[in-house]
Amino acid sequence: MFQTSFSYDALPMRVRFGAGSVASLPTEVERLEARRALVLCSPEQKRTGEAIANALGDLSAGVLAEARMHVPVEVARHARDRAAELGADACVAVGGGSAIGLGKAIALEHDLPVIAVPTTYAGSEMTAVWGLTEDGRKRTGKDPRVLPAGVLYDPELTLGLPVGMSVTSGFNAVAHAVEALYAPDRSPIISLMAEEGVRAMAGALPAVAADGGDLDARTQALYASWLCGACLGATTMSLHHKLCHALGGTLDLPHSETHTIVLPYALAYNQPAAPDAAEALSRALAAPDPAHRLWDLAGSLGAPRSLRDLGVAEGDLGPLARQVVDAPYANPAPVTLDGVTRLLRAAWNGEPPRVEP
């Protein structure tokens, strides 16, 4: 059914897309009237971060290779202090959600503009959502100050992303679009982007898995991640993200793998209550049951499909379900303790997702 009343906020950022676009980074830093940009990355991406800093030349304030998953608050505090010590007036976040999340933490404290250079498909660069983990709990919020001022999508930088990580990162992106299709603040514009993002990513991932050096497939996947991330940035998160925040923040699970495992089960939970979203996903995935299709696709690409395989103990499920139910996000289907417990148990076992009427 077409929505006849809605609102849509365009995000104020500049995006450059295409192979080789990272060469324009100095120009983008100067466009912000910045003179000392601190390059942020994870320890694994240190070599890439140093190459970016070298390309910036005199515009670089150095490299901080300390980004970690779920942005632990102690890491964020050290990064904020380091940025102040170096006199940084901008940040360039290179990598996935961990690096970009660290840039957002600095922006939240010091109002420094962030330029994101994504090398995964996480999509954080398209949102004003920040997250910090402290004492085993992940807090999230929205603040326009943390929205990157610029994004450089260069598919050549994703060629080194291992195939397994590429697949799970792609599923992470798909999760953003899936939830946007049934978000309470969705719009026809976002729904179009979400459906196209899912279609493009589902088409790109098998080609990426077959040949990680396929630049055309990498370009399509990065395009899809842009669309999916923009959907996340424009809508309210639902049960899927609440589950992943609880799992990641409490158990320090790998981010994209957790999203990959949880997505089919969260979608199956919501499909009966979101028929328009299910119809759009059926078109995008060319399948009558989108939840089962995503579970099948993950398996065919060698992605994990069980929380047990990530080290989650059976005894963790009850407290996690209670955490989710005690502070739920907006969701089309009622979030009940029994329902969430059954969802988590199915995901823990890795059994095929079942859509219940």
Side-chain angles (χ1 to χ4, degrees):
M1 180 182 297
F2 181 74
Q3 290 176 258
T4 57
S5 179
F6 58 89
S7 63
Y8 173 76
D9 293 326
L11 300 180
M13 64 164 58
R14 174 181 170 90
V15 176
R16 298 189 71 149
F17 186 99
S21 60
V22 74
S24 65
L25 183 57
T27 300
E28 296 303 311
V29 170
E30 290 174 339
R31 188 180 68 86
L32 299 177
E33 299 183 349
R35 292 293 177 265
R36 290 184 60 77
L38 177 61
V39 178
L40 306 171
C41 60
S42 67
E44 297 79 10
Q45 292 269 20
K46 186 175 181 181
R47 182 175 297 179
T48 301
E50 290 173 344
I52 294 292
N54 289 336
L56 285 172
D58 292 341
L59 294 173
S60 171
V63 177
L64 186 65
E66 297 181 4
R68 283 181 51 197
M69 286 190 308
H70 311 302
V71 195
V73 69
E74 61 272 15
V75 174
R77 287 170 180 158
H78 179 257
R80 292 165 181 165
D81 293 344
R82 189 64 180 143
E85 291 169 5
L86 293 170
D89 55 5
C91 291
V92 175
V94 183
S98 300
I100 295 168
L102 187 57
K104 289 178 174 182
I106 296 173
L108 195 65
E109 183 79 10
H110 297 310
D111 289 328
L112 297 190
V114 177
I115 296 175
V117 185
T119 62
T120 74
Y121 310 131
S124 177
E125 68 279 357
M126 280 289 128
T127 83
V129 176
W130 56 267
L132 291 168
T133 299
E134 185 173 16
D135 298 328
R137 291 293 180 101
K138 187 169 184 176
R139 297 182 291 113
T140 64
K142 275 190 174 183
D143 192 307
R145 291 178 298 169
V146 310
L147 182 72
V151 181
L152 293 177
Y153 285 111
D154 190 333
E156 291 182 345
L157 295 180
T158 68
L159 291 172
L161 187 65
V163 166
M165 193 177 298
S166 299
V167 170
T168 57
S169 184
F171 270 84
N172 184 11
V174 169
H176 306 329
V178 166
E179 287 210 324
L181 283 165
Y182 50 66
D185 49 357
R186 67 190 181 279
S187 72
I189 309 305
I190 290 299
S191 295
L192 285 170
M193 295 170 66
E195 183 175 339
E196 169 65 1
V198 173
R199 183 205 65 76
M201 188 64 81
L205 288 181
V208 169
D211 179 5
D214 185 337
L215 186 59
D216 288 340
R218 290 289 190 180
T219 300
Q220 180 174 322
L222 200 58
Y223 157 73
S225 75
W226 175 5
L227 293 177
C228 294
C231 292
L232 175 67
T235 55
T236 300
M237 291 180 286
S238 299
L239 177 61
H240 169 85
H241 278 87
K242 179 64 182 183
L243 286 162
C244 292
H245 290 162
L247 285 158
T250 303
L251 303 177
D252 196 29
L253 299 184
H255 185 77
S256 63
E257 288 91 335
T258 303
H259 278 269
T260 302
I261 293 167
V262 170
L263 176 59
Y265 301 98
L267 177 55
Y269 188 100
N270 281 320
Q271 268 181 205
D276 290 346
E279 183 179 346
L281 290 168
S282 292
R283 290 193 299 267
L285 296 168
D289 183 345
H292 200 281
R293 172 58 185 147
L294 287 172
W295 185 80
D296 275 340
L297 181 61
S300 72
L301 299 177
R305 294 196 294 187
S306 163
L307 290 175
R308 179 165 45 186
D309 291 343
L310 297 188
V312 177
E314 189 172 8
D316 293 327
L317 303 182
L320 284 165
R322 173 56 65 186
Q323 184 184 148
V324 169
V325 173
D326 284 348
Y329 293 171
N331 199 66
V335 179
T336 67
L337 183 59
D338 179 63
V340 172
T341 300
R342 283 188 283 110
L343 185 164
L344 283 170
R345 185 164 295 281
W348 186 76
N349 285 318
E351 62 194 46
R354 292 192 303 168
V355 177
E356 299 182 8

